[in-house]
């Protein structure tokens, strides 16, 4: 029911031509969604503007059955995700990074890094991008204070003393405290 209400609210917001929000985030990828979740957790009204359509499936060269790229999430980022209860969204699908080797092709020299030498169990985790996006988006839609605007871009920005006015390519006007 919460998902259905939020989807209806999101669709309603897409059709409105004037909106106010605390913060506008440009980009609905994993960084934008993660930031929106953290800010919404603090009680702020957040709007995500993304120029591309929402894509939550694996995709490569137009085919949906291809694997997505792998993302490395560092230990410090995991701690931030945990502080905002986001880590649980993907921890079952993530694989620990327990060893790193950096190689220089021309000389065949390399550096090896072991997390134990730094007093760590792991450097972070690896996860498929599409899985992280799916889970971040699903969680973001459960927050009534996160709004989405896909398939449009920012046409103009007017930065006033304590207000930012945005005009989007689809004709929507947005007032925000922070961009």
């Amino acid at each position: 029911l919460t998902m259905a209400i939020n989807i209806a609210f999101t669709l309603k917001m897409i059709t409105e031509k004037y909106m106010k929000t605390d913060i506008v985030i440009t980009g609905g990828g994993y960084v934008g969604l993660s930031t929106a979740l953290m800010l919404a957790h603090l009680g702020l009204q957040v709007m995500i503007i993304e120029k591309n359509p929402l894509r939550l499936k694996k995709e490569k060269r137009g085919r949906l059955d291809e694997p997505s790229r792998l993302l490395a999430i560092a230990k410090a980022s995991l701690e931030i995700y945990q502080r905002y209860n986001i880590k649980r969204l993907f921890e079952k699908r993530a694989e620990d990074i327990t060893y790193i080797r950096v190689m220089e092709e021309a000389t065949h020299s390399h550096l090896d890094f072991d997390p134990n030498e730094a007093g760590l169990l792991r450097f972070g985790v690896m996860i498929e991008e599409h899985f992280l996006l799916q889970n971040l988006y699903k969680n973001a839609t459960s927050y009534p204070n996160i709004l989405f605007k896909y398939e449009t871009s920012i046409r103009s920005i007017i930065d006033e003393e304590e207000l930012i006015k945005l005009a989007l390519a689809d004709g929507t006007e947005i007032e925000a405290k922070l961009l």
Side-chain angles (χ1 to χ4, degrees), residues 2 13 25 37 40 43 47-50 53 60 72 75 81 87 91 95 98 104 107 119 129 132 134 143 168 172 174:
T2 301
M13 290 305 297
I25 295 173
L37 283 165
M47 175 173 286
I48 298 172
I49 299 173
E50 171 59 55
K60 187 175 180 182
K75 182 183 179 299
Y81 278 138
K87 181 182 167 194
E91 64 187 355
E95 295 291 330
T98 57
E104 210 249 276
T107 64
E129 180 182 36
L132 181 60
Q134 286 171 352
Y143 280 81
L168 304 184
T172 305
I174 301 168

Side-chain angles (χ1 to χ4, degrees), residues 96-101 110-115 123:
D96 289 347
I97 301 172
T98 57
Y99 179 80
I100 297 175
R101 173 172 274 185
H110 65 274
L111 296 170
D112 292 328
F113 298 94
D114 183 337
F123 288 118

Side-chain angles (χ1 to χ4, degrees), residues 11-175:
L11 293 174
K12 176 181 172 255
M13 290 305 297
I14 288 173
T15 61
E16 291 184 15
K17 292 300 177 182
Y18 175 79
M19 296 178 237
K20 282 187 172 185
T21 188
D22 292 321
I23 298 173
V24 171
I25 295 173
T26 56
Y30 56 91
V31 173
L33 287 167
S34 297
T35 303
L37 283 165
M38 291 174 202
L39 293 169
H41 185 80
L42 296 173
L44 296 166
Q45 180 76 30
V46 181
M47 175 173 286
I48 298 172
I49 299 173
E50 171 59 55
K51 66 180 177 179
N52 296 309
L54 177 62
R55 290 191 180 109
L56 299 176
K57 297 189 186 262
K58 298 179 192 180
E59 199 166 329
K60 187 175 180 182
R61 286 182 248 143
R63 296 191 330 222
L64 296 178
D65 59 348
E66 296 288 332
S68 66
R69 66 183 179 158
L70 286 175
L71 301 174
I73 301 175
K75 182 183 179 299
S77 295
L78 288 174
E79 289 168 359
I80 293 169
Y81 278 138
Q82 186 156 359
R83 187 177 317 139
Y84 292 98
N85 298 317
I86 299 171
K87 181 182 167 194
R88 64 180 168 69
L89 296 176
F90 58 82
E91 64 187 355
K92 290 180 182 175
R93 293 290 299 261
E95 295 291 330
D96 289 347
I97 301 172
T98 57
Y99 179 80
I100 297 175
R101 173 172 274 185
V102 180
M103 299 180 66
E104 210 249 276
E105 188 175 346
T107 64
H108 300 290
S109 57
H110 65 274
L111 296 170
D112 292 328
F113 298 94
D114 183 337
N116 295 316
E117 293 173 3
L120 305 171
L121 296 175
R122 62 183 179 177
F123 288 118
V125 297
M126 297 289 290
I127 188 166
E128 287 185 63
E129 180 182 36
H130 80 278
F131 186 77
L132 181 60
L133 280 171
Q134 286 171 352
N135 285 282
L136 290 172
Y137 181 78
K138 181 179 177 183
N139 195 304
T141 59
S142 72
Y143 280 81
N145 54 332
I146 298 178
L147 308 172
F148 302 89
K149 198 81 167 130
Y150 282 91
E151 298 187 64
T152 192
S153 58
I154 298 172
R155 191 178 65 222
S156 68
I157 302 172
I158 299 171
D159 189 357
E160 296 181 352
E161 193 168 316
E162 292 188 24
L163 187 69
I164 297 171
K165 294 181 178 181
L166 303 164
L168 304 184
D170 68 0
T172 305
E173 294 178 8
I174 301 168
E175 287 186 2

